[in-house]
């Protein structure tokens, strides 16, 4: 089941009561040189493997690669805008980097609900980023999800 409980930029995402195991949502983004440069500027991570063609050519990657956390940030897009969406609070994220992302790659970030804790109002989601169907990054996110107001 794919979800998009948002109702515009000021809308609300899913409430905890609307969630069910197996719900998932994705976000796709082509990683550009401008993205890598902007992320380096924003984060301060100026490692030459991301910014210098000549340096990167001498590494195991043979070319520049995107920052791992640039790729990981796409999970925030999925979780904060689609599932559960606006109103949720990110509590934790585990990450396992599996393969590099190159400039020009289209990354598809997906989150799928694997566990719900009604007592705490928390959702656990498996997260995966893939390029051409191959996992480049996976992990698990824990989010606090607002409940419907009780009348």
């Amino acid at each position: 089941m794919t979800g998009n409980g948002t109702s515009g930029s000021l809308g609300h995402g899913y409430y905890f009561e609307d969630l069910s195991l197996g719900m998932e949502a994705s976000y796709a983004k082509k990683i550009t040189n401008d993205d890598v440069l902007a992320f380096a500027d924003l984060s301060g991570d100026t490692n030459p493997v991301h910014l210098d063609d000549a340096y990167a050519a001498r590494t195991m990657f043979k070319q520049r690669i995107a920052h791992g956390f640039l790729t990981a940030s796409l999970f925030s897009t999925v979780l904060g805008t689609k599932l559960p969406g606006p109103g949720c609070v990110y509590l934790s994220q585990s990450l396992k980097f599996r393969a590099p992302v190159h400039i020009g790659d289209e990354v598809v970030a997906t989150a799928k609900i694997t566990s719900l804790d009604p007592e705490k109002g928390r959702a656990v989601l498996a997260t995966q980023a893939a390029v051409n169907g191959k996992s480049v990054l996976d992990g698990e996110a824990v989010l606090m999800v607002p409940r419907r107001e009780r009348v």
Side-chain angles (χ1 to χ4, degrees):
M1 177 178 203
T2 300
N4 186 356
T6 63
S7 60
S9 61
L10 298 177
H12 196 289
Y14 288 96
Y15 289 100
F16 185 84
E17 294 82 0
D18 300 326
L19 300 177
S20 60
L21 295 179
M23 289 175 77
E24 71 176 55
S26 296
Y27 173 75
K29 173 158 183 42
K30 183 177 182 179
I31 303 300
T32 67
N33 184 57
D34 287 345
D35 294 328
V36 172
L37 296 176
F39 194 85
D41 185 54
L42 180 67
S43 68
D45 181 353
T46 57
N47 183 329
V49 76
H50 306 303
L51 304 175
D52 184 321
D53 288 318
Y55 177 90
R58 297 187 309 270
T59 69
M60 64 187 280
F61 304 113
K62 305 297 181 207
Q63 60 183 310
R64 289 170 50 211
I65 60 171
H67 300 76
F69 274 86
L70 171 57
T71 302
S73 74
L74 301 179
F75 295 145
S76 185
T77 303
V78 176
L79 299 168
T81 68
K82 295 183 176 222
L83 181 68
C88 71
V89 176
Y90 222 142
L91 298 176
S92 69
Q93 174 75 57
S94 66
L95 299 170
K96 180 158 181 123
F97 297 95
R98 301 198 170 277
V101 172
H102 299 101
I103 295 167
D105 283 349
E106 182 179 69
V107 177
V108 178
T110 302
K112 182 176 183 177
I113 297 175
T114 58
S115 175
L116 294 167
D117 182 344
E119 189 175 309
K120 293 183 178 179
R122 293 185 179 174
V124 178
L125 296 93
T127 53
Q128 182 184 65
V131 173
N132 295 322
K134 178 184 173 191
S135 178
V136 295
L137 174 60
D138 59 33
E140 183 177 84
V142 179
L143 291 100
M144 186 169 40
V145 184
R147 297 180 184 277
R148 291 189 185 285
E149 289 185 30
R150 297 189 179 134
V151 192

